Amino acid sequence: MRYHLSYLLLSTFLITTGCWSSEATTNPLVTDNTEYMTVLFSNEDSILEEASFYDALLEMQRLFPEKHFPFQIVYASERNVIRYFNVSTYPTLMVLSGDDVQLKIEGNHSKEEIINLLTNTLKINDQELSYHHIKH
């Protein structure tokens, strides 16, 4: 009887451990390896600090209308995504290429700083940037 109880407890533990580890090792966001995905991790306590991130992303779309900027917001309630990317600071902005994190910006930053980091990461050159400043 004791053997069966030990076996039952051990098998239950192994099954639940397998579920935890598969959740932690599988990227919950579907991203394409050929393009960048920008993800903003948000919670209601950091709404005011997030304004510069939204402003920067809107400015990027205005400056580079021919570029495609896939964007997704992940809320603090989406625990499996938060855990997978090990996010502990809000707001956090990441640029992903498949499973690779190309850029991670945590906390409060200016719109200009975010734009500079994004243009460097997304490999948008200065000629394109100056062209759009002159054009608009």
Side-chain angles (χ1 to χ4, degrees):
M1 178 71 167
R2 212 171 181 178
Y3 172 76
H4 292 290
L5 183 59
S6 297
Y7 179 74
L8 178 65
L9 289 174
L10 180 61
S11 63
T12 302
F13 176 74
L14 290 175
I15 290 171
T16 57
T17 303
C19 292
W20 292 334
S21 64
S22 68
E23 179 180 89
T25 58
T26 304
N27 187 345
L29 298 178
V30 177
T31 58
D32 184 355
N33 286 338
T34 61
E35 71 176 17
Y36 294 108
M37 163 77 79
T38 304
V39 181
L40 178 64
F41 293 88
S42 170
N43 77 3
E44 48 193 48
D45 295 334
S46 68
I47 296 290
L48 294 176
E49 294 174 4
E50 292 173 14
S52 59
F53 287 89
Y54 290 113
D55 290 345
L57 291 166
L58 289 171
E59 185 70 10
M60 291 286 291
Q61 289 179 338
R62 187 188 72 75
L63 290 171
F64 310 106
E66 73 286 351
K67 299 281 184 186
H68 179 63
F69 296 107
F71 175 73
Q72 185 171 352
I73 299 174
V74 174
Y75 297 99
S77 59
E78 298 177 63
R79 293 248 191 242
N80 63 329
V81 182
I82 300 298
R83 229 174 297 151
Y84 180 83
F85 288 102
N86 197 26
V87 173
S88 59
T89 303
Y90 296 94
T92 292
L93 182 97
M94 288 186 189
V95 175
L96 307 173
S97 176
D99 285 337
D100 297 325
V101 177
Q102 302 296 318
L103 174 67
K104 184 174 185 178
I105 308 171
E106 297 176 304
N108 195 11
H109 292 273
S110 72
K111 175 179 99 172
E112 292 75 21
E113 184 180 4
I114 296 166
I115 289 172
N116 286 335
L117 291 167
L118 285 171
T119 55
N120 288 335
T121 301
L122 300 173
K123 297 170 181 65
I124 299 171
N125 65 37
D126 291 336
Q127 288 178 338
E128 290 178 279
L129 187 59
S130 9
Y131 170 75
H132 285 287
H133 277 299
I134 294 168
K135 185 178 170 186
H136 292 286

PDB file of all heavy atoms in Angstrom, residues 40 42 47 49-60 71 73 75 111 114:
ATOM      1  N   LEU A  40       5.147  45.634 -25.628  1.00  0.00           N
ATOM      2  CA  LEU A  40       5.153  46.493 -24.451  1.00  0.00           C
ATOM      3  C   LEU A  40       4.472  45.747 -23.313  1.00  0.00           C
ATOM      4  O   LEU A  40       3.320  45.330 -23.432  1.00  0.00           O
ATOM      5  CB  LEU A  40       4.429  47.808 -24.711  1.00  0.00           C
ATOM      6  CG  LEU A  40       4.339  48.771 -23.526  1.00  0.00           C
ATOM      7  CD1 LEU A  40       5.732  49.238 -23.102  1.00  0.00           C
ATOM      8  CD2 LEU A  40       3.468  49.962 -23.867  1.00  0.00           C
ATOM      9  N   SER A  42       2.842  45.922 -19.830  1.00  0.00           N
ATOM     10  CA  SER A  42       2.138  47.007 -19.177  1.00  0.00           C
ATOM     11  C   SER A  42       1.425  46.532 -17.913  1.00  0.00           C
ATOM     12  O   SER A  42       0.985  45.387 -17.831  1.00  0.00           O
ATOM     13  CB  SER A  42       1.102  47.562 -20.166  1.00  0.00           C
ATOM     14  OG  SER A  42       0.232  48.456 -19.540  1.00  0.00           O
ATOM     15  N   ILE A  47       0.943  53.257 -15.922  1.00  0.00           N
ATOM     16  CA  ILE A  47       0.279  53.902 -17.068  1.00  0.00           C
ATOM     17  C   ILE A  47       0.926  55.244 -17.421  1.00  0.00           C
ATOM     18  O   ILE A  47       1.180  55.533 -18.590  1.00  0.00           O
ATOM     19  CB  ILE A  47      -1.233  54.101 -16.795  1.00  0.00           C
ATOM     20  CG1 ILE A  47      -1.934  52.751 -16.654  1.00  0.00           C
ATOM     21  CG2 ILE A  47      -1.901  54.947 -17.859  1.00  0.00           C
ATOM     22  CD1 ILE A  47      -2.049  51.948 -17.916  1.00  0.00           C
ATOM     23  N   GLU A  49       3.981  56.292 -16.888  1.00  0.00           N
ATOM     24  CA  GLU A  49       5.321  56.086 -17.441  1.00  0.00           C
ATOM     25  C   GLU A  49       5.281  55.493 -18.839  1.00  0.00           C
ATOM     26  O   GLU A  49       6.254  55.587 -19.581  1.00  0.00           O
ATOM     27  CB  GLU A  49       6.134  55.178 -16.521  1.00  0.00           C
ATOM     28  CG  GLU A  49       6.443  55.796 -15.177  1.00  0.00           C
ATOM     29  CD  GLU A  49       7.129  54.831 -14.235  1.00  0.00           C
ATOM     30  OE1 GLU A  49       7.449  53.693 -14.639  1.00  0.00           O
ATOM     31  OE2 GLU A  49       7.344  55.213 -13.079  1.00  0.00           O
ATOM     32  N   GLU A  50       4.170  54.887 -19.207  1.00  0.00           N
ATOM     33  CA  GLU A  50       4.050  54.255 -20.515  1.00  0.00           C
ATOM     34  C   GLU A  50       3.796  55.259 -21.636  1.00  0.00           C
ATOM     35  O   GLU A  50       3.974  54.931 -22.807  1.00  0.00           O
ATOM     36  CB  GLU A  50       2.940  53.203 -20.498  1.00  0.00           C
ATOM     37  CG  GLU A  50       3.270  52.012 -19.643  1.00  0.00           C
ATOM     38  CD  GLU A  50       2.122  51.036 -19.484  1.00  0.00           C
ATOM     39  OE1 GLU A  50       1.135  51.125 -20.246  1.00  0.00           O
ATOM     40  OE2 GLU A  50       2.212  50.187 -18.592  1.00  0.00           O
ATOM     41  N   ALA A  51       3.396  56.460 -21.301  1.00  0.00           N
ATOM     42  CA  ALA A  51       3.044  57.456 -22.322  1.00  0.00           C
ATOM     43  C   ALA A  51       4.191  57.678 -23.302  1.00  0.00           C
ATOM     44  O   ALA A  51       3.970  57.753 -24.515  1.00  0.00           O
ATOM     45  CB  ALA A  51       2.638  58.764 -21.656  1.00  0.00           C
ATOM     46  N   SER A  52       5.420  57.769 -22.803  1.00  0.00           N
ATOM     47  CA  SER A  52       6.561  58.008 -23.701  1.00  0.00           C
ATOM     48  C   SER A  52       6.779  56.824 -24.649  1.00  0.00           C
ATOM     49  O   SER A  52       7.219  57.006 -25.785  1.00  0.00           O
ATOM     50  CB  SER A  52       7.834  58.301 -22.906  1.00  0.00           C
ATOM     51  OG  SER A  52       8.156  57.226 -22.051  1.00  0.00           O
ATOM     52  N   PHE A  53       6.454  55.613 -24.206  1.00  0.00           N
ATOM     53  CA  PHE A  53       6.581  54.437 -25.072  1.00  0.00           C
ATOM     54  C   PHE A  53       5.558  54.503 -26.202  1.00  0.00           C
ATOM     55  O   PHE A  53       5.892  54.285 -27.365  1.00  0.00           O
ATOM     56  CB  PHE A  53       6.397  53.143 -24.263  1.00  0.00           C
ATOM     57  CG  PHE A  53       7.568  52.822 -23.382  1.00  0.00           C
ATOM     58  CD1 PHE A  53       7.643  53.315 -22.091  1.00  0.00           C
ATOM     59  CD2 PHE A  53       8.615  52.033 -23.849  1.00  0.00           C
ATOM     60  CE1 PHE A  53       8.722  53.023 -21.272  1.00  0.00           C
ATOM     61  CE2 PHE A  53       9.706  51.733 -23.045  1.00  0.00           C
ATOM     62  CZ  PHE A  53       9.758  52.236 -21.746  1.00  0.00           C
ATOM     63  N   TYR A  54       4.306  54.829 -25.863  1.00  0.00           N
ATOM     64  CA  TYR A  54       3.272  54.952 -26.901  1.00  0.00           C
ATOM     65  C   TYR A  54       3.609  56.098 -27.860  1.00  0.00           C
ATOM     66  O   TYR A  54       3.473  55.956 -29.076  1.00  0.00           O
ATOM     67  CB  TYR A  54       1.894  55.178 -26.270  1.00  0.00           C
ATOM     68  CG  TYR A  54       1.355  53.970 -25.553  1.00  0.00           C
ATOM     69  CD1 TYR A  54       1.186  53.970 -24.179  1.00  0.00           C
ATOM     70  CD2 TYR A  54       1.006  52.822 -26.256  1.00  0.00           C
ATOM     71  CE1 TYR A  54       0.691  52.864 -23.511  1.00  0.00           C
ATOM     72  CE2 TYR A  54       0.508  51.703 -25.603  1.00  0.00           C
ATOM     73  CZ  TYR A  54       0.347  51.730 -24.230  1.00  0.00           C
ATOM     74  OH  TYR A  54      -0.143  50.626 -23.586  1.00  0.00           O
ATOM     75  N   ASP A  55       4.056  57.232 -27.310  1.00  0.00           N
ATOM     76  CA  ASP A  55       4.426  58.368 -28.158  1.00  0.00           C
ATOM     77  C   ASP A  55       5.553  57.992 -29.112  1.00  0.00           C
ATOM     78  O   ASP A  55       5.528  58.352 -30.289  1.00  0.00           O
ATOM     79  CB  ASP A  55       4.847  59.565 -27.303  1.00  0.00           C
ATOM     80  CG  ASP A  55       3.688  60.196 -26.547  1.00  0.00           C
ATOM     81  OD1 ASP A  55       2.519  59.912 -26.882  1.00  0.00           O
ATOM     82  OD2 ASP A  55       3.962  60.963 -25.601  1.00  0.00           O
ATOM     83  N   ALA A  56       6.551  57.274 -28.606  1.00  0.00           N
ATOM     84  CA  ALA A  56       7.685  56.863 -29.444  1.00  0.00           C
ATOM     85  C   ALA A  56       7.228  55.926 -30.558  1.00  0.00           C
ATOM     86  O   ALA A  56       7.657  56.069 -31.711  1.00  0.00           O
ATOM     87  CB  ALA A  56       8.752  56.187 -28.591  1.00  0.00           C
ATOM     88  N   LEU A  57       6.358  54.983 -30.237  1.00  0.00           N
ATOM     89  CA  LEU A  57       5.890  54.037 -31.258  1.00  0.00           C
ATOM     90  C   LEU A  57       5.048  54.743 -32.312  1.00  0.00           C
ATOM     91  O   LEU A  57       5.182  54.457 -33.510  1.00  0.00           O
ATOM     92  CB  LEU A  57       5.113  52.900 -30.594  1.00  0.00           C
ATOM     93  CG  LEU A  57       5.991  51.972 -29.753  1.00  0.00           C
ATOM     94  CD1 LEU A  57       5.135  51.077 -28.858  1.00  0.00           C
ATOM     95  CD2 LEU A  57       6.893  51.131 -30.633  1.00  0.00           C
ATOM     96  N   LEU A  58       4.221  55.682 -31.890  1.00  0.00           N
ATOM     97  CA  LEU A  58       3.436  56.456 -32.862  1.00  0.00           C
ATOM     98  C   LEU A  58       4.347  57.321 -33.737  1.00  0.00           C
ATOM     99  O   LEU A  58       4.143  57.437 -34.948  1.00  0.00           O
ATOM    100  CB  LEU A  58       2.403  57.330 -32.145  1.00  0.00           C
ATOM    101  CG  LEU A  58       1.241  56.577 -31.516  1.00  0.00           C
ATOM    102  CD1 LEU A  58       0.401  57.507 -30.647  1.00  0.00           C
ATOM    103  CD2 LEU A  58       0.380  55.920 -32.587  1.00  0.00           C
ATOM    104  N   GLU A  59       5.368  57.905 -33.135  1.00  0.00           N
ATOM    105  CA  GLU A  59       6.324  58.726 -33.888  1.00  0.00           C
ATOM    106  C   GLU A  59       7.097  57.872 -34.898  1.00  0.00           C
ATOM    107  O   GLU A  59       7.358  58.300 -36.020  1.00  0.00           O
ATOM    108  CB  GLU A  59       7.282  59.426 -32.924  1.00  0.00           C
ATOM    109  CG  GLU A  59       8.225  60.387 -33.575  1.00  0.00           C
ATOM    110  CD  GLU A  59       7.546  61.650 -34.099  1.00  0.00           C
ATOM    111  OE1 GLU A  59       6.357  61.888 -33.805  1.00  0.00           O
ATOM    112  OE2 GLU A  59       8.225  62.395 -34.823  1.00  0.00           O
ATOM    113  N   MET A  60       7.461  56.669 -34.507  1.00  0.00           N
ATOM    114  CA  MET A  60       8.145  55.752 -35.437  1.00  0.00           C
ATOM    115  C   MET A  60       7.257  55.465 -36.653  1.00  0.00           C
ATOM    116  O   MET A  60       7.742  55.461 -37.789  1.00  0.00           O
ATOM    117  CB  MET A  60       8.498  54.438 -34.740  1.00  0.00           C
ATOM    118  CG  MET A  60       9.571  54.537 -33.693  1.00  0.00           C
ATOM    119  SD  MET A  60      11.234  54.754 -34.350  1.00  0.00           S
ATOM    120  CE  MET A  60      11.520  53.173 -35.115  1.00  0.00           C
ATOM    121  N   PHE A  71       3.317  45.255 -33.402  1.00  0.00           N
ATOM    122  CA  PHE A  71       3.333  45.703 -32.016  1.00  0.00           C
ATOM    123  C   PHE A  71       2.276  44.957 -31.220  1.00  0.00           C
ATOM    124  O   PHE A  71       1.192  44.697 -31.729  1.00  0.00           O
ATOM    125  CB  PHE A  71       3.058  47.211 -31.977  1.00  0.00           C
ATOM    126  CG  PHE A  71       2.944  47.770 -30.603  1.00  0.00           C
ATOM    127  CD1 PHE A  71       4.069  47.918 -29.802  1.00  0.00           C
ATOM    128  CD2 PHE A  71       1.718  48.162 -30.098  1.00  0.00           C
ATOM    129  CE1 PHE A  71       3.969  48.440 -28.528  1.00  0.00           C
ATOM    130  CE2 PHE A  71       1.607  48.674 -28.826  1.00  0.00           C
ATOM    131  CZ  PHE A  71       2.744  48.821 -28.037  1.00  0.00           C
ATOM    132  N   ILE A  73       0.698  44.523 -26.993  1.00  0.00           N
ATOM    133  CA  ILE A  73       0.729  44.897 -25.583  1.00  0.00           C
ATOM    134  C   ILE A  73       0.446  43.643 -24.767  1.00  0.00           C
ATOM    135  O   ILE A  73      -0.492  42.898 -25.059  1.00  0.00           O
ATOM    136  CB  ILE A  73      -0.326  45.969 -25.259  1.00  0.00           C
ATOM    137  CG1 ILE A  73      -0.059  47.231 -26.065  1.00  0.00           C
ATOM    138  CG2 ILE A  73      -0.331  46.277 -23.757  1.00  0.00           C
ATOM    139  CD1 ILE A  73      -1.129  48.287 -25.931  1.00  0.00           C
ATOM    140  N   TYR A  75      -0.325  42.536 -20.882  1.00  0.00           N
ATOM    141  CA  TYR A  75      -0.704  43.067 -19.577  1.00  0.00           C
ATOM    142  C   TYR A  75      -0.185  42.169 -18.460  1.00  0.00           C
ATOM    143  O   TYR A  75       0.034  40.974 -18.659  1.00  0.00           O
ATOM    144  CB  TYR A  75      -2.226  43.218 -19.499  1.00  0.00           C
ATOM    145  CG  TYR A  75      -2.726  44.210 -20.521  1.00  0.00           C
ATOM    146  CD1 TYR A  75      -3.260  43.781 -21.732  1.00  0.00           C
ATOM    147  CD2 TYR A  75      -2.622  45.582 -20.292  1.00  0.00           C
ATOM    148  CE1 TYR A  75      -3.694  44.695 -22.681  1.00  0.00           C
ATOM    149  CE2 TYR A  75      -3.049  46.499 -21.248  1.00  0.00           C
ATOM    150  CZ  TYR A  75      -3.586  46.044 -22.428  1.00  0.00           C
ATOM    151  OH  TYR A  75      -3.996  46.955 -23.368  1.00  0.00           O
ATOM    152  N   LYS A 111      10.832  59.780 -24.847  1.00  0.00           N
ATOM    153  CA  LYS A 111      10.403  59.376 -26.190  1.00  0.00           C
ATOM    154  C   LYS A 111      11.594  59.334 -27.138  1.00  0.00           C
ATOM    155  O   LYS A 111      11.755  58.390 -27.911  1.00  0.00           O
ATOM    156  CB  LYS A 111       9.337  60.347 -26.700  1.00  0.00           C
ATOM    157  CG  LYS A 111       8.901  60.105 -28.126  1.00  0.00           C
ATOM    158  CD  LYS A 111       7.827  61.074 -28.547  1.00  0.00           C
ATOM    159  CE  LYS A 111       8.435  62.187 -29.326  1.00  0.00           C
ATOM    160  NZ  LYS A 111       7.438  63.088 -29.934  1.00  0.00           N
ATOM    161  N   ILE A 114      13.830  56.299 -26.562  1.00  0.00           N
ATOM    162  CA  ILE A 114      13.182  55.080 -27.065  1.00  0.00           C
ATOM    163  C   ILE A 114      13.281  55.020 -28.584  1.00  0.00           C
ATOM    164  O   ILE A 114      13.616  53.978 -29.160  1.00  0.00           O
ATOM    165  CB  ILE A 114      11.710  55.009 -26.597  1.00  0.00           C
ATOM    166  CG1 ILE A 114      11.654  54.898 -25.069  1.00  0.00           C
ATOM    167  CG2 ILE A 114      10.979  53.832 -27.250  1.00  0.00           C
ATOM    168  CD1 ILE A 114      10.283  55.153 -24.472  1.00  0.00           C
TER     169      ILE A 114
END
